Amino acid sequence: MTTVAELSNKHTVQWCPGCGDFPILIALKQAIAATGLNPKDIVVVSGIGCSGKTPHYLNTYGLESLHGRGLAAATGVQLANPKLKVIAVGGDGDGLGIGLGHFIHSCRRNVNITYIIFDNMVYGLTKGQTSPTSRKGFKTSSTPHGAIEHPINPVALALAADATFVARGFSGKLEHLTNLVKEAILHKGFSFIDVLQPCISYNHEQTYEFYNKAAYDLGATKGWKADNVEKAFKKAYEWGEKIPIGIFFQEKRSTYDDELPQDKDVPVALQPIDNVDITVMYDKYL
Amino acid sequence: MAKNKVALTAGGPAGSGVFTIGAMFARSVQKLGLWVYYTADYASLIKGGHNSCYVRAEPEEIHSQIKLSDILVAIDKLTVQKHFEGLSHEGALIYDSSSFEINDIDMSKRRDIKIFAIPFTKLGRDLGDKIYGNIVAVGAVSALVNHPLEKLYVALEKQFGAKKGSEVVEINKKAAKLGYDYLKENYKGVSFKVTLEEIKNQPTLLLSGNEAACIGAIKAGVKLVAEYPMTPSSSILSFMAANENKYNIVVKHTEDEIAAMNMLTGAGMTGARCMTGTSGGGFALMTEAIGMAGLSETPCVIFESQRTGPSTGMPTYTEQSDLRFAMHASQGEFPRLIVAPGDVEEAFYESFKIFNLCDRVQTPGIVLLDKHLSESSRTVKVFDTSKLKVERGKLMTNEQMAKATAFKRYELTADGISPRCIPGQPNGMHVSSSYEHDETGWTTEESAMRIAQVDKRARKLLAIKDEEIAPKLYGDADADLTIVSWGSNKGMVLEAMKFLKNEGLKVNFLQILWVLPFPTKKVTEILSKAKKTLMVEQNHDAQMRGVIREFTGINIKETLLKYDGRPIDPEDIYFRAKEVLK
Ligand SMILES: Cc1ncc(C[n+]2csc(CCOP(=O)(O)OP(=O)(O)O)c2C)c(N)n1
Ligand code: SF4
């Protein structure tokens, strides 16, 4: 069994005190511990941003990729060695701005990766510019007169892109979040959690108080079942006075690596390569 | 009469099967034991326009095309108009008399040309479909050069047998025979200057630069290919996909080149040998991640086949203008390996080698091809794999890692190369990071560690020995002129040297094969002794000349530069060399 202590390393976490990233890190450790995965078989992949530092705070293998490219790098790890558990993390700017293409393709690809967006609706690391999830009218140094565009709805987008596990969590509800992450890790296929994450330095609108008032647990809602895309879509657009958190949609579908035609007993990364016979290819050219 | 020496051009609109004519003729003359060269010229469209292909065969080894053809096969009128002047003296024009007339084309300057009117389309249609017309044409060519039909039949079996079954083979054989008989019967008394005969030769492979590069990569044990299609590298993706089962290679057609290159930073981390293929535009999208591979010390290989740029350029035409780009792409400084194969053999052997060197140095490598090499085919001796050994450098085994304590992925070692472990192994957990890091992989911005890590990465290149990256010198060391070139020009320079030698001129050829690390010592040694020098390149800025000057301080005065998208011909080099020698 892996314990939370074993998953922690000696490094001081460098987020602003009170940042909504802390609970996500704790949830991640608790969830990994609860699944019993061996840390040596886990690769936590990130993009760049405050959230991108996460792999450094975990005692697992890690890959701190480029801004927006976490999912692409994670896919490389996963396809080369599907026996590893790959968890990708990143910010909303990272995953839904610069890296948006990879997000949509990872959803529809159903690649076996758990992906957590630390959604603070602002660019944290670059000191507070507008993000793709910032509300219309949001004022920052890059949009002093207010954001003109409509925000991306990550949950609806993931549903539209045929993701097989779509959830929303909130940094302020640690136990709930831990459970979501655990479910996501246990899900076979692409599991996505949009985590509402207060950025205490640059977002003074979507704060802990804001979410504490509005967030309610879908799982505890009478009659809610996460098995219907149309209903999930409807829920995804509920935002304001009440904000649903929990699993919106989940289904079983074969994963990308399940459907790969290659031999699966040994991951390609570990197959011997010292003596590849190329002569069988010659006939065509002789 | 010229025995066993022939060059053929076939032309027609895109989609008309012109390339099949060339490919079938090439394959059938290979079966005679001849050395063969095949290349094609096409525009970026699927139907219409003008496409042509070219086949040359000789009893001695050949390296490239030459300007003149002995036979022109015309599927349309435009082909006759565009190419008849490229026929050698008393060359033959074979055209599809059932689809167009040629009497209004003024060929008065070339009364030497022998004209053969063969109704390809009609004969094809007699068999049930006009698509057999181009095989009728190949049959007619066989008759013209007295080439036994059996050899063509073998080629047809190879082309159609596996994919389409014996019925298709049989009907194509019939088409070939129709063309053959038609020419024999209707041009009984007409003799032609070329005849082909079987000769004794060792077995050869007829394949393209891209195919050879792929086979080299497969031999090296590549396990993951992530690529987005782009001419002239798309055939790398399809070749690998066609072999994904046989060799257990994960082949991913990605959403874009950014994804492809970033996937390699992940796949490389797992220990899988991995690669991507692209051309300049896609390479541009990969640049940031190439630096990521450099900083995280992740081995991976990029096959960049150059075409004309900038922007979309001329997508299906050749150029060598990405040299500087490949050398400098990505922010910051880090060691990278670049090799520019000059022919099909080198595409195979050097592609194999770069995987070993990338593993040894733990850094990205680039195989810099160009369209003319990627897509042209040549017969080569069957590859000698007896000396090819996969070497993984300091990649740790599970047993080693089981015993490891305080493992440091980026340990500051004497040679700069740190032991490398992979996810799944115990005691080696670390972050492979795009951020500067200390020996453990933990982020640092501290100046001493920054300097130490930059120096460490730079030092790794010393692990590559001079002989592993040596340039090649062809011809006598003592020459009046040294031609310097790289990439696919190699073939044309070697052909030009045959002409020059025939005239008793003393010319040798320095081929730059490895670009990074640059073989400074050897190139300096050769060039400082050279009497006259001539740089031959397919670009405007003489990029390799600049690189040579940068590393050796030697400036090559004379140049032959071509940047119209068409390969340089040996004749161009021959004339330019004579000018310089004067
Ligand atoms: C290619 C590239 N462009 C820009 C940046 C600068 N940059 C770093 S993080 C970031 C945005 C961070 O915002 P987000 O992804 O929302 O993550 P957060 O910091 O809020 O967790 C930007 C623009 C970069 N590192 N790379
Ligand atoms: S800037 Fe915002 S997101 Fe970044 S660490 Fe500080 S509070 Fe957290």
Side-chain angles (χ1 to χ4, degrees):
Chain A
M1 268 311 281
T2 308
T3 63
V4 169
E6 280 164 347
L7 287 163
S8 312
N9 59 26
K10 60 175 205 281
H11 297 300
T12 316
V13 179
Q14 291 167 334
W15 289 314
C16 307
C19 170
D21 287 351
F22 285 96
I24 309 179
L25 178 62
I26 297 169
L28 200 50
K29 287 182 193 170
Q30 290 179 346
I32 292 173
T35 58
L37 287 165
N38 190 330
K40 76 171 178 56
D41 298 323
I42 300 173
V43 186
V44 178
V45 185
S46 71
I48 296 293
C50 297
S51 43
K53 311 219 178 263
T54 308
H56 288 287
Y57 305 139
L58 281 160
N59 217 3
T60 63
Y61 278 94
L63 201 175
E64 184 183 17
S65 165
L66 296 164
H67 189 34
R69 310 303 163 204
L71 276 178
T75 303
V77 174
Q78 209 281 331
L79 295 185
N81 188 348
K83 298 245 152 109
L84 299 169
K85 176 63 210 175
V86 183
I87 302 171
V89 298
D92 38 293
D94 187 78
L96 300 168
I98 190 167
L100 179 66
H102 309 308
F103 175 60
I104 293 173
H105 290 285
S106 301
C107 289
R108 73 179 182 95
R109 195 171 282 156
N110 203 29
V111 54
N112 199 5
I113 291 174
T114 295
Y115 181 42
I116 305 171
I117 290 190
F118 296 28
D119 189 356
N120 53 16
M121 302 178 187
V122 73
Y123 281 24
L125 194 66
T126 44
K127 300 197 192 310
Q129 297 84 359
T130 292
S131 115
T133 51
S134 301
R135 71 164 176 86
K136 183 168 163 60
F138 194 65
K139 286 188 181 171
T140 69
S141 60
S142 65
T143 57
H145 305 291
I148 297 173
E149 290 141 307
H150 273 255
I152 284 176
N153 180 330
V155 170
L157 189 61
L159 290 168
D162 278 346
T164 53
F165 181 106
V166 183
R168 183 192 284 145
F170 166 41
S171 290
K173 294 241 187 309
L174 181 60
E175 207 187 310
H176 181 264
L177 184 61
T178 301
N179 260 324
L180 274 188
V181 177
K182 190 182 129 201
E183 290 300 317
I185 291 175
L186 293 176
H187 176 79
K188 259 192 96 208
F190 190 71
S191 50
F192 168 60
I193 313 175
D194 181 41
V195 181
L196 306 171
Q197 174 245 317
C199 165
I200 56 141
S201 297
Y202 298 110
N203 186 340
H204 304 296
E205 290 190 15
Q206 282 79 37
T207 58
Y208 278 108
E209 299 75 61
F210 172 84
Y211 289 126
N212 270 328
K213 253 189 242 147
Y216 74 94
D217 182 9
L218 264 182
T221 309
K222 229 176 110 191
W224 177 257
K225 269 185 148 167
D227 61 356
N228 183 307
V229 175
E230 281 150 45
K231 283 190 190 152
F233 258 113
K234 226 169 159 192
K235 270 284 170 219
Y237 282 99
E238 198 177 303
W239 187 269
E241 302 258 294
K242 298 193 87 193
I243 299 173
I245 58 171
I247 302 175
F248 284 71
F249 181 71
Q250 182 170 16
E251 74 172 349
K252 272 202 184 127
R253 201 199 304 154
S254 56
T255 63
Y256 190 86
D257 64 276
D258 279 342
E259 297 211 17
L260 282 174
Q262 294 81 21
D263 255 351
K264 290 198 193 65
D265 300 343
V266 183
V268 292
L270 307 179
Q271 290 176 6
I273 58 170
D274 334 291
N275 237 326
V276 180
D277 177 14
I278 53 172
T279 57
V280 289
M281 272 185 284
Y282 287 174
D283 184 54
K284 204 173 146 196
Y285 308 108
L286 278 166
Chain B
M1 273 227 182
K3 247 204 199 132
N4 286 338
K5 276 193 183 183
V6 69
L8 167 144
T9 295
S16 65
V18 187
F19 298 151
T20 313
I21 299 179
M24 290 303 93
F25 183 64
R27 190 67 66 195
S28 68
V29 289
Q30 179 199 16
K31 289 282 149 208
L32 290 176
L34 299 183
W35 297 86
V36 182
Y37 185 86
Y38 168 90
T39 189
D41 181 303
Y42 63 99
S44 188
L45 41 79
I46 305 303
K47 295 271 176 206
H50 176 73
N51 285 353
S52 67
C53 64
Y54 169 94
V55 181
R56 180 177 170 217
E58 297 208 355
E60 306 294 334
E61 193 166 7
I62 52 174
H63 307 278
S64 80
Q65 78 287 355
I66 49 171
K67 266 197 201 310
L68 297 181
S69 294
D70 307 303
I71 303 168
L72 174 62
V73 180
I75 289 191
D76 64 356
K77 198 164 172 172
L78 185 62
T79 301
V80 183
Q81 288 162 330
K82 265 180 122 71
H83 297 279
F84 81 86
E85 282 173 278
L87 274 171
S88 61
H89 186 69
E90 294 186 347
L93 165 65
I94 302 183
Y95 75 100
D96 184 2
S97 57
S98 51
S99 52
F100 62 96
E101 295 290 336
I102 58 165
N103 33 25
D104 58 334
I105 303 174
D106 178 13
M107 297 202 285
S108 55
K109 272 187 256 156
R110 294 299 308 271
R111 296 203 191 280
D112 60 297
I113 294 176
K114 302 197 168 184
I115 298 175
F116 299 84
I118 315 281
F120 312 152
T121 311
K122 186 191 163 291
L123 293 175
R125 221 180 263 126
D126 290 349
L127 277 174
D129 197 320
K130 66 175 181 167
I131 60 161
Y132 304 118
N134 44 34
I135 303 299
V136 173
V138 194
V141 172
S142 293
L144 180 70
V145 293
N146 261 325
H147 175 21
L149 263 183
E150 293 70 50
K151 300 294 176 193
L152 180 53
Y153 289 169
V154 178
L156 291 171
E157 274 156 20
K158 269 199 191 289
Q159 172 84 1
F160 300 112
K163 264 185 272 166
K164 307 196 171 157
S166 58
E167 236 171 84
V168 177
V169 173
E170 283 316 308
I171 195 149
N172 277 292
K173 282 185 185 173
K174 275 188 196 147
K177 182 145 177 22
L178 274 183
Y180 189 94
D181 291 345
Y182 190 95
L183 189 134
K184 285 272 177 217
E185 272 158 37
N186 291 279
Y187 294 92
K188 259 187 195 129
V190 187
S191 69
F192 184 55
K193 61 176 181 169
V194 179
T195 54
L196 301 185
E197 252 173 38
E198 187 152 8
I199 59 165
K200 268 223 148 24
N201 195 356
Q202 56 199 314
T204 57
L205 304 173
L206 174 59
L207 75 178
S208 71
N210 276 358
E211 287 166 328
C214 287
I215 297 175
I218 290 177
K219 179 70 192 162
V222 72
K223 281 292 160 196
L224 185 135
V225 181
E227 179 168 344
Y228 189 84
M230 185 172 188
T231 305
S233 64
S234 308
S235 60
I236 293 178
L237 176 60
S238 48
F239 185 100
M240 289 303 190
N243 285 289
E244 62 182 359
N245 274 2
K246 203 184 296 162
Y247 291 100
N248 275 320
I249 303 167
V250 173
V251 180
K252 183 78 199 87
H253 169 172
T254 56
E255 56 268 36
D256 53 35
E257 288 88 347
I258 301 177
M261 188 60 214
N262 279 280
M263 276 187 199
L264 301 195
T265 66
M269 185 195 186
T270 69
R273 283 196 160 174
C274 56
M275 63 174 264
T276 182
T278 190
S279 187
F283 187 71
L285 294 182
M286 295 177 178
T287 52
E288 191 189 13
I290 294 170
M292 160 78 193
L295 188 78
S296 62
E297 306 198 32
T298 308
C300 51
V301 181
I302 303 137
F303 289 76
E304 209 262 64
S305 180
Q306 304 164 91
R307 65 190 217 188
T308 63
S311 189
T312 305
M314 301 199 290
T316 56
Y317 288 87
T318 199
E319 200 161 88
Q320 299 178 316
S321 51
D322 292 347
L323 175 66
R324 283 290 190 184
F325 184 33
M327 292 175 70
H328 303 293
S330 207
Q331 67 279 28
E333 299 165 314
F334 57 93
R336 77 183 76 193
L337 311 177
I338 302 182
V339 65
D343 58 21
V344 170
E345 281 104 333
E346 286 170 358
F348 172 75
Y349 291 108
E350 304 305 317
S351 295
F352 175 86
K353 189 203 271 179
I354 199 167
F355 280 92
N356 277 350
L357 297 189
C358 286
D359 262 355
R360 187 193 302 165
V361 179
Q362 299 179 15
T363 212
I366 299 166
V367 179
L368 195 57
L369 303 157
D370 51 53
K371 188 260 171 189
H372 192 52
L373 171 56
S374 279
E375 295 193 344
S376 304
S377 300
R378 201 176 133 246
T379 43
V380 296
K381 289 175 205 151
V382 172
F383 300 129
D384 174 13
T385 56
S386 61
K387 288 190 207 74
L388 303 184
K389 217 177 137 251
V390 169
E391 291 164 5
R392 307 274 350 231
K394 291 195 190 172
L395 185 64
M396 297 286 104
T397 62
N398 290 348
E399 295 70 46
Q400 286 171 312
M401 286 311 295
K403 284 183 253 151
T405 49
F407 183 81
K408 289 193 239 161
R409 169 64 186 97
Y410 300 103
E411 190 182 331
L412 297 165
T413 54
D415 61 1
I417 303 168
S418 320
R420 179 160 85 102
C421 68
I422 56 173
Q425 290 181 327
N427 306 319
M429 288 180 290
H430 65 273
V431 178
S432 172
S433 180
S434 70
Y435 223 106
E436 187 58 276
H437 41 255
D438 65 14
E439 291 180 278
T440 68
W442 170 250
T443 302
T444 188
E445 274 146 3
E446 195 253 322
S447 80
M449 183 50 74
R450 161 68 181 173
I451 293 167
Q453 289 290 341
V454 172
D455 290 347
K456 157 195 151 50
R457 290 190 291 268
R459 193 157 71 229
K460 293 192 293 182
L461 283 183
L462 297 175
I464 292 182
K465 300 178 212 84
D466 283 351
E467 59 271 24
E468 289 174 312
I469 51 160
K472 295 186 181 173
L473 187 69
Y474 304 85
D476 290 338
D478 168 42
D480 295 324
L481 171 68
T482 300
I483 298 175
V484 187
S485 197
W486 63 285
S488 67
N489 307 338
K490 172 182 177 177
M492 288 79 88
V493 176
L494 290 176
E495 289 296 324
M497 284 172 67
K498 290 184 188 169
F499 303 146
L500 292 161
K501 197 172 172 189
N502 277 347
E503 296 185 14
L505 297 169
K506 284 165 73 184
V507 176
N508 62 11
F509 165 39
L510 173 64
Q511 180 205 2
I512 311 291
L513 180 57
W514 282 80
V515 181
L516 287 178
F518 192 81
T520 308
K521 224 161 83 193
K522 195 84 195 159
V523 173
T524 310
E525 195 183 298
I526 293 166
L527 286 184
S528 54
K529 278 190 240 142
K531 289 185 193 142
K532 284 185 169 175
T533 49
L534 167 65
M535 189 76 220
V536 177
E537 292 190 66
Q538 292 256 157
N539 57 46
H540 175 274
D541 292 352
Q543 295 187 23
M544 182 61 91
R545 174 170 76 162
V547 171
I548 291 172
R549 187 169 186 182
E550 177 184 324
F551 282 99
T552 66
I554 297 170
N555 187 31
I556 298 171
K557 262 228 219 77
E558 305 292 344
T559 56
L560 169 57
L561 304 173
K562 196 163 189 276
Y563 39 87
D564 62 353
R566 277 76 183 171
I568 299 173
D569 283 324
E571 292 86 343
D572 304 332
I573 300 168
Y574 161 80
F575 285 117
R576 187 74 184 93
K578 282 186 52 158
E579 237 171 62
V580 175
L581 274 168
K582 240 185 235 151

